[in-house]
Amino acid sequence: MNFELTKEQEMTRKMVRDFAEEKIAPRAVDIDKHSDFPDDLFKEMGKLGMLGIPFPEKYGGSGGDTITYALAVEEIGRVCGSTGLSYAAAVSLGASPIYYFGTEEQKQEFLIPLAKGESLGSFGLTEPNAGSDAGGTQTKAVLEGDHYILNGEKCWITNAEYARSITVTAVSGKRDDGKNIISAFIVPKDTPGMKITSPYDKMGVRGSNTCEIVLEDVKVPKENILGDPEKGFGQFLHTLDGGRISIAALAVGVAQASLDRALAYSKERQQFGQSISKFQAIQFKLADMAMEVELARNMVMKAAWLKDQGKPFTKESAYAKLFASETAFRSANQAIQIHGGYGYMREYEVERYLRDAKLLEIGEGTSEIQRMIIARQLGC
């Protein structure tokens, strides 16, 4: 077992870390406070090749692997959960399904601009009545000649306002056993009948663009169906498995930031004639935080490695997402506690980590769903 990163992985991590600290970190407070999506930062990230890390160079990518990509997500998440979430969603949910399941023509038309960072990827799965029960999709796709007509509604869709195209799921027919066939469709943003709004006032990750999409008689060419028309459900389950690795990596970033802030503050804060880092009560909190961050990071790296090796990783990605997201919330909560009253104030930033971390226990499958996945993988 070799836990060392390659030179390429270390170089990419350093590049992303430097960019995150120099460009994103100074704006993180304003991004959160004003719900300000940093479009200009994403354009810069695109020029640096960050949005194409796990894709081959022939499709505009950097030719990296999942481990490298997970390291990048962690570094961005460490300074800004909002930017980290939009970055993770753009790559894992927006671009990856086209790379894995798209035709060569679809990759040329839709994937290359995403990998180059000329646009952000967006994936429309969740609906008002189909959250954890993604199989309960109600959006309909009806084939008429050489086009599909889409009608329905999607909610809580990341990056949609900044995407050139959005991959949406819809019921396209019935299987022999009577169950719905769910297919995925690539819908160009300027298609008539597709309305995108951003009506949400969120608790956390406030600078990440979150949208509602209404589809009214949206006409999509038959050739825009993604992958096998009858295997759309399996395709997005695979997509979510990979997405959970990136959400877990984002959670590790938030947890690491919480630990860093808490440790630094504990060394500065004086009470009873000494820094509070000298008190065992504080030391035990910091020790637990450090241990859990390291365990979460190792889980992320293992899941990413399995994916890169072409091995099954469904259970491990659920492990990583579940443990890392709950670690992020616990670490942020303890960071606030260590800061005391100051931790409750915006200027010390740890309260933002807690608000951002909460979403990670919900998005891309709640903690309860992750436990169901793990139990299923155990054969329950």
Side-chain angles (χ1 to χ4, degrees):
M1 297 175 72
N2 183 1
F3 290 91
E4 286 187 328
L5 299 175
T6 66
K7 285 184 180 179
E8 291 78 11
Q9 289 165 345
E10 285 282 16
M11 284 173 57
T12 301
R13 180 165 71 172
K14 183 180 185 306
M15 180 268 289
V16 177
R17 178 177 291 176
D18 289 345
F19 178 83
E21 291 180 348
E22 291 170 15
K23 297 294 184 74
I24 304 175
R27 292 172 54 183
V29 171
D30 283 340
I31 286 171
D32 172 71
K33 187 175 181 180
H34 303 295
S35 300
D36 180 25
F37 181 80
D39 189 33
D40 59 316
L41 290 178
F42 276 92
K43 285 183 170 62
E44 288 190 58
M45 289 157 68
K47 291 175 183 175
L48 290 170
M50 289 163 60
L51 286 154
I53 285 176
F55 306 118
E57 292 180 15
K58 72 172 184 175
Y59 295 126
S62 305
D65 55 15
T66 310
I67 290 175
T68 309
Y69 165 57
L71 293 169
V73 175
E74 178 186 336
E75 291 300 331
I76 297 170
R78 192 168 61 84
V79 300
C80 179
S82 294
T83 308
L85 180 65
S86 278
Y87 173 67
V91 180
S92 291
L93 299 184
S96 289
I98 301 173
Y99 172 60
Y100 289 123
F101 308 113
T103 63
E104 187 60 32
E105 292 77 15
Q106 289 169 346
K107 290 175 184 177
Q108 292 294 327
E109 183 176 356
F110 299 109
L111 176 60
I112 289 176
L114 297 178
K116 287 183 175 179
E118 295 170 358
S119 175
L120 291 182
S122 187
F123 184 69
L125 170 63
T126 306
E127 298 181 4
N129 293 309
S132 294
D133 179 18
T137 296
Q138 294 178 356
T139 297
K140 297 286 192 297
V142 178
L143 182 61
E144 292 186 3
D146 58 355
H147 285 75
Y148 279 91
I149 307 298
L150 273 59
N151 282 281
E153 184 180 348
K154 301 291 180 180
C155 60
W156 304 326
I157 309 304
T158 305
N159 297 337
E161 284 186 315
Y162 296 87
R164 286 186 186 174
S165 63
I166 302 165
T167 303
V168 300
T169 54
V171 176
S172 59
K174 291 280 186 183
R175 295 190 335 208
D176 292 340
D177 60 6
K179 291 186 178 179
N180 288 333
I181 296 172
I182 299 178
S183 305
F185 301 85
I186 304 172
V187 185
K189 188 179 177 181
D190 58 0
T191 305
M194 183 163 70
K195 182 183 178 184
I196 301 170
T197 58
S198 184
Y200 307 113
D201 187 7
K202 297 176 295 183
M203 168 183 166
V205 291
R206 291 171 54 79
S208 178
N209 179 239
T210 308
C211 299
E212 180 180 85
I213 301 172
V214 176
L215 305 156
E216 292 184 356
D217 294 329
V218 173
K219 196 175 181 181
V220 181
K222 195 175 179 181
E223 58 265 26
N224 279 29
I225 199 163
L226 183 62
D228 188 326
E230 298 196 8
K231 294 182 179 177
F233 192 78
Q235 289 172 187
F236 71 64
L237 289 181
H238 179 81
T239 298
L240 291 175
D241 282 345
R244 284 170 186 138
I245 296 174
S246 63
I247 293 297
L250 175 56
V252 172
V254 174
Q256 183 68 58
S258 300
L259 172 60
D260 293 345
R261 288 294 180 104
L263 179 59
Y265 180 82
S266 71
K267 290 178 178 179
E268 295 169 3
R269 175 67 168 167
Q270 295 282 322
Q271 290 288 278
F272 304 102
Q274 59 183 339
S275 70
I276 63 172
S277 65
K278 300 297 182 184
F279 294 110
Q280 193 177 69
I282 303 299
Q283 291 174 350
F284 281 9
K285 289 182 187 296
L286 293 167
D288 285 345
M289 290 165 71
M291 176 181 66
E292 290 194 8
V293 170
E294 185 66 12
L295 289 171
R297 182 178 291 114
N298 284 343
M299 285 186 179
V300 172
M301 291 296 107
K302 181 178 180 182
W305 180 85
L306 287 170
K307 185 173 186 287
D308 286 335
Q309 300 302 313
K311 298 176 184 292
F313 64 96
T314 296
K315 181 174 79 224
E316 286 77 10
S317 67
Y319 283 160
K321 197 272 186 186
L322 173 62
F323 186 77
S325 62
E326 295 192 348
T327 291
F329 190 81
R330 282 193 296 268
S331 295
N333 195 33
Q334 290 290 35
I336 292 172
Q337 195 70 18
I338 289 169
H339 279 72
Y342 293 109
Y344 206 66
M345 304 301 155
R346 278 184 181 268
E347 64 184 287
Y348 282 79
E349 298 193 55
V350 287
E351 58 83 34
R352 185 180 88 237
Y353 301 155
L354 185 76
R355 290 186 287 106
D356 288 351
K358 188 60 200 174
L359 184 275
L360 307 180
E361 296 182 315
I362 299 170
E364 293 226 27
T366 62
S367 291
E368 291 74 19
I369 289 293
Q370 302 312 310
R371 289 181 167 91
M372 286 173 60
I373 292 168
I374 293 165
R376 210 171 287 145
Q377 290 290 311
L378 295 175
C380 295

